[in-house]
C-alpha cells in the first residue's frame, strides 16, 4: 500500500482531547522511533476556529474574533483520518517545530499561530479554518 500520510496532508483527529479537530501533518514517521515504536505523526491543528465577523463590528472586535488558537501534538496513525486536502507548509516552519521540551513546544505553537493567522487573513484554505459540523 502506498504512503499517503505525507507532510502537508490535512487530517481529522479521532481520539483524545482534540477529537473532531482538523490538523495538518508537519512531520511523519511511518516506521516509528525508539520512544514510539509505531507509526505516528507530528500534527499542528486548529483548537479554536475564528468566529464570524460582521460589517458593524469595530476593528478591535474583528481582530479578537479572527484569532486562531492552534495545538501541536504527536498522534498515532490509527487515530487520524486523512482528507483529500493538502496545506503547503513553509520549509522554514517544518524544521522549527518541536515538542521535546515545553519551552520549545510553546515557541513552536507561537510560530504555528502566526502561520495559521496569516493564511486565514489572506483567505487561503478557508475549509481548514471553519468549525467541523457533524
Amino acid at each position: 500500500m502506498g504512503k499517503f500520510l505525507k507532510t502537508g496532508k490535512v487530517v481529522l483527529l479521532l481520539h483524545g482531547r482534540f477529537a473532531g479537530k482538523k490538523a495538518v501533518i508537519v512531520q511523519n514517521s511511518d516506521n516509528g522511533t525508539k520512544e514510539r515504536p509505531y507509526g505516528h505523526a507530528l500534527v499542528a491543528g486548529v483548537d479554536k476556529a475564528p468566529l464570524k465577523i460582521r460589517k458593524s463590528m469595530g476593528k478591535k472586535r474583528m481582530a479578537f474574533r479572527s484569532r486562531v488558537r492552534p495545538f501541536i501534538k504527536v498522534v498515532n496513525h490509527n487515530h487520524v483520518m486523512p482528507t483529500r486536502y493538502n496545506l503547503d507548509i513553509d520549509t522554514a516552519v517544518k524544521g522549527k517545530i518541536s515538542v521535546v521540551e515545553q519551552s520549545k513546544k510553546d515557541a513552536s505553537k507561537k510560530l504555528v499561530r502566526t502561520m495559521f493567522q496569516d493564511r486565514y487573513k489572506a483567505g487561503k484554505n478557508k475549509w481548514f479554518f471553519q468549525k467541523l459540523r457533524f
Side-chain angles (χ1 to χ4, degrees):
M1 190 165 111
K3 295 181 175 152
F4 54 90
L5 291 175
K6 295 179 181 170
T7 302
K9 177 66 83 174
V10 176
V11 295
L12 300 177
L13 300 183
L14 303 175
H15 290 285
R17 179 179 169 189
F18 300 110
K21 302 288 184 183
K22 296 173 193 166
V24 62
I25 295 177
V26 179
Q27 293 173 345
N28 189 27
S29 176
D30 287 322
N31 301 328
T33 59
K34 196 172 186 180
E35 306 88 50
R36 293 184 170 94
Y38 50 85
H40 60 276
L42 175 65
V43 297
V46 179
D47 185 12
K48 185 176 170 230
L51 301 169
K52 283 188 177 179
I53 300 173
R54 290 185 295 279
K55 255 190 222 180
S56 61
M57 292 182 183
K59 288 187 178 184
K60 190 175 181 182
R61 190 161 186 187
M62 279 186 189
F64 182 79
R65 289 177 71 95
S66 63
R67 290 188 307 178
V68 179
R69 184 190 300 159
F71 66 87
I72 299 172
K73 188 174 174 81
V74 178
V75 185
N76 190 330
H77 283 173
N78 294 335
H79 302 161
V80 297
M81 183 172 76
T83 64
R84 65 181 180 171
Y85 298 103
N86 286 313
L87 206 75
D88 52 326
I89 301 172
D90 301 333
T91 53
V93 174
K94 286 182 199 175
K96 292 182 181 176
I97 295 178
S98 174
V99 291
V100 178
E101 296 175 16
Q102 188 61 39
S103 60
K104 288 184 180 179
K105 188 174 181 180
D106 292 341
S108 299
K109 202 185 279 189
K110 287 179 184 174
L111 187 68
V112 169
R113 180 183 298 133
T114 56
M115 183 185 75
F116 281 171
Q117 282 186 327
D118 292 342
R119 275 184 186 281
Y120 176 71
K121 288 178 182 172
K124 296 179 181 177
N125 311 103
K126 287 187 177 183
W127 179 81
F128 187 70
F129 298 108
Q130 292 173 353
K131 192 174 181 181
L132 191 63
R133 303 283 182 192
F134 62 92

